């Protein structure tokens, strides 16, 4: 009955109860999450994975702003049918510069991790303006406002790149200085399409040998 | 100065929080119904960015979890902690601050989601200014709650308070760690973690926000209000002790089951799967405790519509806490992941468990707080059947949709080619989405009925003043600092 | 008399339940005889339907399975139904004590048989295995079954309706868990290669 006695102490002492809950609930995180944060295989980019340039980064933030990740995943599972449908399965290193990650949890629409290069720019533009013009069954919303706003107005690109540089993304000072100019004359839709077209291009054949698939 | 000598429980704040909770449930459920309609008629956003699916979906989830859920949890935590401690709230002004500041966060936060400010992390979408505000209010909530417990006049800390305590402490830890980010502008920040690591941290948060808020927090509600409503002590106090600690320990591990077959390490996935299965035991322990407690109180069902909701909520709690571990098994998850089955699972919990137990608690609590019978028992009974029908229809239609999606996405023909294109499968879901919309409308209609019923009950009434009852000598600690406060409630001049 | 109990079970359930409640009436015996039919018919309908029309999960093309798979699936379905049926009988019997019922097992047997009866009728829909159509029929059947359960249980067990409500809800919890287990088990079987061909 020692357990009961011990519990009686917890049960009568506010401080002990707070500490007890904090301690017991922290164990799982300490054992599971902390080692993952130091696991370099998760944070080392693959050979072809590079940082997003100014336009792609702007496009990615538009993707986040519009909540595309709510209906589209960016994570291909290593299943035969999935690889056949979407392409080579996703590797951790391909996401090394993804802040935040956009793997998603629901596929109302298809996975987009390897959508880059699958369709033309024009197709994407028409699709985003009126999805049912190219996919009659589609239930995707239309995004007409992306065609009216300038890409340079979608956030302060210089500050964004500076913030990411502080987090370790290898941007050169030149890239940051020229960032705003890169967005000149582009609409939000252009930036978004540029981002979609580079999705999944971090893949290269050598990854197959590496993992002995 | 002299008129304030009588000690009274701070119940005004409980009423106000219940009103806010009712407001948010109407708003967030209306948004949910609208989202369900957008699945069928995607044009009904009328080209307006603030009606776009991707922006209002987080409004729906945040409105339900943090608007409806947390307001209800704060209300019931404040109500029960006073009564289980036999002392009024510690720092009542701070409690009022929590109440209003929280509503302001939900209101402005909701608008910011429409404006496209989002961190994209599920259930943690609000951007950094709101994250900081939430952390501050949450700490204040903790100060009021634990302060009241520290001031208590009765020696043992009742079990409902551990669950509420677990809610406050663990959510604070999760919220702070998951939302660490470098701000860029007022509405934009970049996560401190990247890629796969960000995913692990997010689902450690996301899963346990469900765990300690929607499961643990609401179990606190059950452990206080179920014995009160049924007039029976909790069936097994020892079981509640064991289940609390087992729950708190094992829940935390289960997060990465949201990332099965993803690019995170195998050992993390396997560990999460095993711990998810372990989790079934403490989850069901609380269900059994609840069911056995209420089984002795059947006579109350005759007059009390509230208890029905609680009984049914336990059934759905049992379903959801069984279904979750099952879906965490890799060979089930391979089919269920990314499909509407997940949505159905969430709603069997959110509608069947969270909403129903909260509704049951409100039907019991509101008449008590204002000292008047419920406006209409008939209406409440009708609401019960609407809620049950809505939940059942929702869950079944999403089961069917989810299993179909999962199977068709993976099915191959005799040549090893994919049998169906994605768009074919997507188009086939529309009839299920139609059923789901009907289910949502039925459940929403019931909720409107309840809000009207409770509004008519509260209308024009004043909050009943309750004084803390005396504590038996044997259990007494922390005698009142002011001897003037008389437990029997008679006025004593200062 | 024989036919009467069955017809009553469908048309005038309260009469059937009253009859079941009388321990020495032979209603329970009669109902026991139809249990094999109740458990065998739905799997046979599945076998028939999957051969005649193929599975339609909503997509245009039907999924046709070879005969072996169809037999295995129907057999698994039979096992699942039997497990569901008998476990519900025994669990109801076990639960009964908590809710103040004092009846022999055969009364529970008869009660669950009657409650299950609409499912036999609904399962005819399996002959045309279109997922959405079956879901709609299942929903109607479910409403019918649940009405029988909530109304009939207190009558058959002779307990107050309020206790009956509690006990019925506990059984619903059990049945929900049973239903989701069925989903989980089928999905698990698909993953290991039994049933429709999926590539994982």
């Amino acid at each position: 009955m020692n357990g009961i006695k011990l519990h009686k102490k917890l049960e009568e002492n506010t401080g002990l109860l707070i500490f007890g809950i904090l301690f017991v609930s922290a164990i799982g995180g300490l054992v599971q999450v902390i080692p993952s944060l130091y696991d370099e295989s998760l944070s080392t980019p693959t050979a072809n994975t590079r940082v997003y340039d100014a336009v792609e980064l702007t496009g990615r933030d538009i993707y986040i702003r519009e909540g595309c990740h709510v209906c589209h995943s960016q994570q291909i599972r290593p299943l035969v049918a999935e690889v056949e449908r979407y392409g080579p399965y996703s590797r951790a290193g391909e996401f090394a510069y993804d802040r935040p990650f956009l793997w998603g949890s629901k596929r109302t629409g298809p996975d987009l991790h390897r959508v880059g290069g699958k369709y033309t720019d024009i197709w994407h533009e028409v699709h985003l303006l009126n999805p049912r013009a190219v996919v009659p069954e589609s239930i995707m919303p239309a995004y007409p406002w992306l065609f009216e706003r300038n890409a340079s107005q979608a956030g302060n690109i210089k500050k964004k790149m500076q913030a990411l540089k502080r987090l370790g993304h290898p941007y050169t000072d030149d890239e940051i200085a020229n960032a705003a100019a890169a967005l000149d004359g582009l609409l939000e839709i252009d930036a978004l399409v540029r981002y979609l077209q580079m999705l999944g291009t971090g893949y290269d054949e050598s990854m197959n040998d590496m993992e002995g698939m | 100065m002299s008129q304030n000598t009588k000690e009274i429980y701070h119940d005004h704040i409980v009423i106000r929080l219940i009103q806010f909770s009712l407001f948010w449930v109407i708003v967030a459920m209306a948004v949910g119904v609208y989202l369900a309609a957008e699945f069928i008629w995607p044009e009904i956003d009328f080209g307006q960015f603030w009606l776009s699916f991707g922006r209002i979906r987080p409004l729906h989830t945040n409105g339900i979890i943090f608007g409806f859920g947390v307001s209800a949890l704060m209300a019931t935590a404040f109500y029960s902690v006073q009564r289980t401690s036999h002392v009024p709230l510690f720092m009542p002004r701070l409690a009022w601050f929590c109440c209003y500041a929280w509503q302001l966060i939900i209101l402005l936060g909701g608008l910011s989601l429409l404006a496209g400010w989002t961190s994209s992390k599920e259930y943690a979408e609000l951007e950094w200014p709101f994250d900081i505000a939430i952390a501050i209010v949450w700490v204040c909530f903790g100060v009021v709650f634990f302060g009241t417990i520290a001031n208590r006049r009765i020696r043992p800390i009742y079990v409902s308070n551990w669950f509420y305590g677990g809610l406050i402490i663990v959510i604070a830890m999760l919220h702070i760690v998951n939302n660490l980010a470098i701000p860029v502008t007022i509405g934009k920040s970049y996560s401190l973690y990247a890629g796969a690591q960000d995913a692990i941290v997010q689902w450690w948060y996301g899963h346990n926000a469900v765990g300690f808020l929607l499961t643990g927090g609401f179990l606190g509600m059950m452990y206080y209000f179920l014995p009160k409503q049924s007039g029976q002590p909790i069936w097994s106090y020892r079981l509640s002790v064991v289940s609390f600690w087992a729950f708190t320990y094992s829940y935390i591990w289960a997060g990465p089951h949201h990332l099965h077959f993803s690019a995170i390490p195998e050992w993390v996935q396997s560990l999460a799967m095993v711990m998810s299965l372990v989790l079934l035991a403490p989850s069901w322990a609380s269900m059994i405790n609840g069911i056995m407690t209420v089984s002795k109180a059947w006579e109350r069902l005759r007059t009390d519509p509230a208890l029905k909701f609680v009984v049914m909520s336990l059934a759905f709690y049992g379903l959801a806490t069984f279904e979750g571990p099952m879906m965490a098994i890799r060979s089930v998850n391979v089919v269920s992941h990314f499909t509407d089955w997940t949505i159905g699972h969430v709603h069997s919990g959110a509608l069947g468990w969270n909403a129903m137990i909260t509704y049951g608690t409100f039907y019991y609590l509101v008449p008590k707080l204002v000292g008047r019978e419920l406006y209409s028992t008939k209406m409440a009974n009708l609401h019960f059947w609407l809620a049950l029908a809505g939940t059942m229809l929702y869950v079944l239609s999403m089961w069917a949709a989810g299993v179909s999606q999962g199977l068709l996405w993976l099915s191959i023909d005799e040549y090893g080619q994919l049998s169906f294109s994605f768009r074919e499968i997507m188009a086939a879901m529309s009839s299920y989405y139609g059923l789901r919309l009907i289910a949502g409308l039925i459940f929403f209609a019931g909720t409107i009925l309840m809000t009207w019923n409770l509004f008519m009950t509260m209308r024009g009434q004043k909050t009943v003043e309750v004084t803390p009852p005396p504590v038996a000598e044997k259990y007494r600690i922390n005698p009142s600092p002011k001897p003037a406060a008389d437990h029997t409630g008679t006025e004593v001049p200062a | 008399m024989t036919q009467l109990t069955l017809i009553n079970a469908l048309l005038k359930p309260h009469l059937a339940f009253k009859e079941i409640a009388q321990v020495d009436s032979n209603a329970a015996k009669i109902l026991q005889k139809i249990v094999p039919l109740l458990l065998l018919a739905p799997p046979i309908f599945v076998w028939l339907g999957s051969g005649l029309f193929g599975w339609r999960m909503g997509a245009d093309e039907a999924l046709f399975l070879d005969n072996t798979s169809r037999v295995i699936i129907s057999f698994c379905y039979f096992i699942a139904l039997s497990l569901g049926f008998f476990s519900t009988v025994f669990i109801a019997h076990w639960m009964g004590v908590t809710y103040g019922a004092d009846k022999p097992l055969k009364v529970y047997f008869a009660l669950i048989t009657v409650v299950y009866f609409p499912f036999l009728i609904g399962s005819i829909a399996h002959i045309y295995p279109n997922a959405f159509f079956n879901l709609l029929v299942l929903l109607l059947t479910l409403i019918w079954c649940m009405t029988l359960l909530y109304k009939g249980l207190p009558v058959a067990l002779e307990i107050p309706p309020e206790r009956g409500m509690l006990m019925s809800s506990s059984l619903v919890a059990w049945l929900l868990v049973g239903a989701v287990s069925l989903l989980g088990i089928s999905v698990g079987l698909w993953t290991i290669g039994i049933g429709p061909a999926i590539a994982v």
Side-chain angles (χ1 to χ4, degrees):
Chain A
M1 288 294 100
N2 259 344
I4 297 292
K5 261 192 193 153
L6 175 82
H7 198 262
K8 206 161 179 286
K9 275 218 168 105
L10 280 174
E11 214 178 284
E12 295 182 356
N13 185 319
T14 324
L16 271 183
L17 185 66
I18 295 177
F19 178 76
I21 294 173
L22 194 60
F23 177 73
V24 168
S25 66
I27 299 172
L30 290 175
V31 175
Q32 204 179 35
V33 177
I34 301 290
S36 306
L37 293 182
Y38 288 95
D39 184 343
E40 281 188 9
S41 73
L42 296 180
S43 55
T44 313
T46 62
N48 279 0
T49 303
R50 55 171 180 80
V51 286
Y52 299 101
D53 69 26
V55 181
E56 290 156 358
L57 186 66
T58 303
R60 189 172 197 271
D61 287 339
I62 292 168
Y63 184 98
I64 293 170
R65 186 187 74 195
E66 301 302 339
C68 304
H69 54 276
V70 170
C71 295
H72 293 281
S73 56
Q74 284 189 20
Q75 191 233 101
I76 302 165
R77 298 179 290 173
L79 311 173
V80 179
E82 205 136 296
V83 171
E84 186 152 337
R85 194 183 292 283
Y86 300 119
Y89 68 88
S90 308
R91 268 58 163 206
E94 296 180 81
F95 303 105
Y97 298 118
D98 278 16
R99 288 174 204 268
F101 79 113
L102 291 174
W103 294 359
S105 61
K106 173 78 203 301
R107 280 181 191 155
T108 303
D111 188 279
L112 297 182
H113 186 209
R114 308 245 179 249
V115 79
K118 267 194 190 164
Y119 303 92
T120 59
D121 288 1
I122 293 288
W123 186 92
H124 278 300
E125 282 167 28
V126 175
H127 184 236
L128 283 157
L129 185 61
N130 179 8
R132 278 152 294 283
V134 278
V135 183
E137 314 85 324
S138 174
I139 54 169
M140 191 172 103
Y143 295 89
W145 55 92
L146 300 181
F147 295 79
E148 293 156 13
R149 301 184 192 172
N150 287 324
S152 53
Q153 285 163 332
N156 185 330
I157 188 63
K158 199 171 157 191
K159 271 191 173 173
K160 281 179 179 179
M161 288 169 83
Q162 280 165 342
L164 286 173
K165 194 176 179 186
R166 277 170 65 198
L167 288 166
H169 290 210
Y171 287 119
T172 62
D173 291 338
D174 261 7
E175 279 174 315
I176 294 175
N178 297 328
L183 293 176
D184 264 353
L186 293 181
L187 293 171
E188 286 192 346
I189 183 71
D190 301 315
L192 180 59
V193 171
R194 276 280 297 281
Y195 168 65
L196 291 173
Q197 292 292 29
M198 74 85 67
L199 269 176
T201 51
Y203 173 79
D204 65 286
E205 299 292 329
S206 69
M207 293 194 310
N208 284 338
D209 312 330
M210 215 166 64
E211 298 181 24
M213 210 196 128
Chain B
M1 241 206 143
S2 59
Q3 81 231 41
N4 219 5
T5 50
K6 199 166 88 173
E7 256 191 345
I8 297 169
Y9 287 148
H10 297 284
D11 286 342
H12 277 298
I13 189 168
V14 176
I15 290 241
R16 185 52 45 87
L17 279 162
I18 290 176
Q19 288 164 343
F20 279 127
S21 177
L22 289 170
F23 171 75
W24 290 121
V25 77
I26 295 284
V27 172
M29 269 189 197
V31 175
V33 170
Y34 199 78
L35 286 164
E38 285 191 337
F39 271 91
I40 306 165
W41 305 291
E43 309 82 5
I44 59 169
D45 63 10
F46 306 109
Q48 300 299 311
F49 67 86
W50 53 275
L51 279 176
S52 187
F53 187 91
R55 298 190 190 212
I56 63 175
R57 198 261 196 180
L59 182 66
H60 168 62
T61 53
N62 284 279
I64 290 291
I65 299 173
F66 300 111
F68 165 62
V70 170
S71 298
L73 287 172
M74 262 192 200
T76 53
F78 285 159
Y79 181 88
S80 63
V81 75
Q82 299 184 88
R83 276 146 181 93
T84 51
S85 303
H86 292 254
V87 70
L89 282 182
F90 175 68
M91 299 181 75
R93 288 214 175 138
L94 194 64
W96 277 111
F97 166 76
C98 286
C99 167
Y100 283 110
W102 188 258
Q103 310 311 323
L104 196 65
I105 290 172
I106 304 297
L107 179 70
L108 296 180
L111 293 175
S112 81
L113 289 172
L114 295 185
W117 293 14
T118 172
S119 74
S120 91
K121 293 185 170 189
E122 262 178 278
Y123 319 128
E125 283 93 348
L126 295 179
E127 266 296 350
W128 65 275
F130 296 102
D131 290 337
I132 293 172
I134 287 171
I136 292 169
V137 173
W138 206 255
V139 169
C140 295
F141 180 23
V143 168
V144 173
F145 183 82
F146 287 111
T148 310
I149 292 181
N151 273 348
R152 75 192 184 284
R153 302 216 178 98
I154 187 163
R155 194 175 291 275
I157 303 174
Y158 182 64
V159 58
S160 66
N161 291 325
W162 318 340
F163 279 97
Y164 283 122
L167 157 78
I168 294 170
I169 293 166
V170 181
I171 294 291
M173 169 178 85
L174 297 168
H175 171 77
I176 291 170
V177 174
N178 185 45
N179 283 303
L180 290 177
I182 297 220
V184 179
T185 51
I186 180 95
K188 179 74 197 169
S189 62
Y190 286 115
S191 173
L192 209 58
Y193 322 99
Q197 293 167 340
D198 195 33
I200 293 173
V201 175
Q202 154 59 19
W203 283 111
W204 170 75
Y205 165 87
H207 181 74
N208 294 299
V210 173
F212 286 85
L213 211 155
L214 298 177
T215 312
F218 285 83
L219 280 176
M221 200 187 267
M222 182 197 87
Y223 273 114
Y224 179 78
F225 287 95
L226 185 59
K228 280 282 162 197
Q229 277 174 278
S230 59
Q232 296 284 336
I234 203 77
W235 180 64
S236 164
Y237 198 74
R238 194 170 294 181
L239 187 61
S240 69
V241 172
V242 176
S243 74
F244 173 75
W245 292 108
F247 170 87
T248 306
Y249 172 75
S250 51
Y251 220 114
I252 284 284
W253 297 79
H257 70 214
H258 291 256
L259 300 169
H260 275 335
F261 298 101
S262 75
I264 67 164
E266 284 278 332
W267 69 270
V268 179
Q269 298 180 30
S270 308
L271 192 59
M273 168 173 142
V274 172
M275 292 308 278
S276 304
L277 295 173
V278 169
L279 192 51
L280 180 63
S283 302
W284 271 26
S286 285
M287 173 186 70
I288 290 164
N289 226 343
I291 286 184
M292 294 312 280
T293 306
V294 79
S295 70
K296 291 182 191 151
W298 54 275
E299 277 180 327
R300 299 231 172 178
L301 273 179
R302 229 168 252 173
T303 48
D304 185 4
L307 208 49
K308 271 187 206 164
F309 281 92
V310 179
V311 171
M312 201 37 83
S313 77
L314 287 168
F316 280 103
Y317 171 78
L319 167 68
T321 50
F322 179 86
E323 193 180 19
M326 196 185 83
M327 291 168 80
I329 299 172
R330 279 165 65 97
S331 56
V332 176
N333 188 276
V334 74
V335 172
S336 75
H337 196 47
F338 291 131
T339 71
D340 278 299
W341 190 351
T342 311
I343 312 299
H345 169 61
V346 171
H347 283 83
S348 68
L351 302 176
W353 157 243
N354 298 120
M356 286 231 208
I357 195 164
T358 308
Y359 293 173
T361 303
F362 284 179
Y363 276 129
Y364 162 82
L365 195 52
V366 169
K368 220 172 149 64
L369 283 169
V370 297
R372 175 199 258 182
E373 293 272 298
L374 186 65
Y375 173 69
S376 163
T377 310
K378 238 184 199 167
M379 228 187 245
N381 280 322
L382 175 62
H383 175 200
F384 172 76
W385 293 110
L386 288 174
L388 178 59
T391 311
M392 280 280 192
L393 186 57
Y394 198 110
V395 170
L396 286 172
S397 58
M398 288 297 99
W399 275 351
V403 174
S404 306
Q405 282 164 351
L407 176 64
L408 298 176
W409 285 343
L410 296 173
S411 72
I412 47 166
D413 60 19
E414 57 266 46
Y415 309 109
Q417 305 284 311
L418 295 172
S419 305
F420 304 97
S421 71
F422 189 92
R423 53 171 83 171
E424 261 181 289
I425 302 167
M426 184 193 64
M429 293 303 122
S430 60
S431 25
Y432 299 115
Y433 292 152
L435 273 190
R436 186 251 302 269
L437 175 61
I438 295 169
L441 281 170
I442 294 173
F443 198 92
F444 186 44
T447 304
I448 292 174
L449 217 56
M450 173 190 70
T451 308
W452 172 251
N453 202 348
L454 293 179
F455 171 73
M456 292 305 283
T457 311
M458 284 188 267
R459 203 169 73 150
Q461 292 293 108
K462 279 193 178 141
T463 313
V464 175
E465 295 189 343
V466 183
T467 49
V471 180
E473 186 63 43
K474 185 170 118 181
Y475 296 116
R476 196 179 296 165
I477 57 165
N478 289 344
S480 165
K482 275 182 280 168
D486 188 341
H487 294 313
T488 55
T490 42
E491 293 266 346
V492 178
Chain C
M1 188 68 197
T2 321
Q3 286 79 7
L4 198 68
T5 315
L6 272 179
I7 295 168
N8 274 350
L10 283 180
L11 301 176
K12 292 179 185 160
H14 62 280
L15 283 183
F17 288 120
K18 269 192 188 147
E19 225 179 313
I20 292 168
Q22 281 145 17
V23 180
D24 32 295
S25 86
N26 60 349
K29 222 181 224 170
I30 297 158
L31 288 170
Q32 277 170 27
K33 278 186 197 146
I34 62 161
V35 168
L37 173 73
L38 291 185
L39 297 177
L40 275 172
I44 291 174
F45 293 151
V46 166
W47 179 78
L48 272 176
S50 55
L52 284 174
F53 300 101
W55 282 18
R56 271 163 229 267
M57 309 288 287
D60 294 337
E61 229 173 298
L63 280 171
F64 280 100
L65 305 171
D66 60 80
N67 195 39
T68 330
S69 285
R70 281 163 57 211
V71 170
I72 292 177
I73 286 173
S74 301
F75 183 71
C76 291
Y77 190 34
F78 171 72
I79 298 282
L81 283 180
S82 309
L83 274 178
F85 182 86
F86 290 108
S87 65
T88 311
V89 172
F90 288 112
I91 280 184
H93 183 58
W94 168 74
M95 268 183 191
V97 188
T98 310
Y99 298 96
D102 176 29
K103 293 277 175 187
L105 187 64
K106 68 173 189 176
V107 172
Y108 291 93
F109 214 96
L111 167 72
I112 302 300
T113 309
V114 175
V115 168
Y116 179 91
F117 208 82
F119 186 74
L120 173 73
I121 298 164
S123 72
I124 296 172
H126 293 345
I127 294 177
Y128 182 64
N130 174 300
F132 186 67
F133 171 64
N134 271 266
L135 178 68
L136 284 183
V137 175
L138 178 75
L139 281 169
L140 295 175
T141 316
L142 201 73
I143 294 169
W144 192 355
C145 289
M146 279 179 68
T147 315
L148 287 179
L149 178 67
Y150 277 88
K151 291 228 159 120
L153 186 135
V155 180
L157 302 182
E158 294 182 315
I159 56 175
E162 291 77 17
R163 292 192 104 166
M165 195 266 165
L166 286 177
M167 184 169 165
S168 306
S169 303
S170 304
L171 279 176
V172 166
W174 165 251
L175 289 170
L176 281 170
V177 167
V180 84
S181 311
L182 190 62
L183 277 186
I185 293 167
S186 346
V187 166
L189 288 176
W190 300 343
T191 313
I192 58 170
I194 297 171
I198 58 173
V200 291

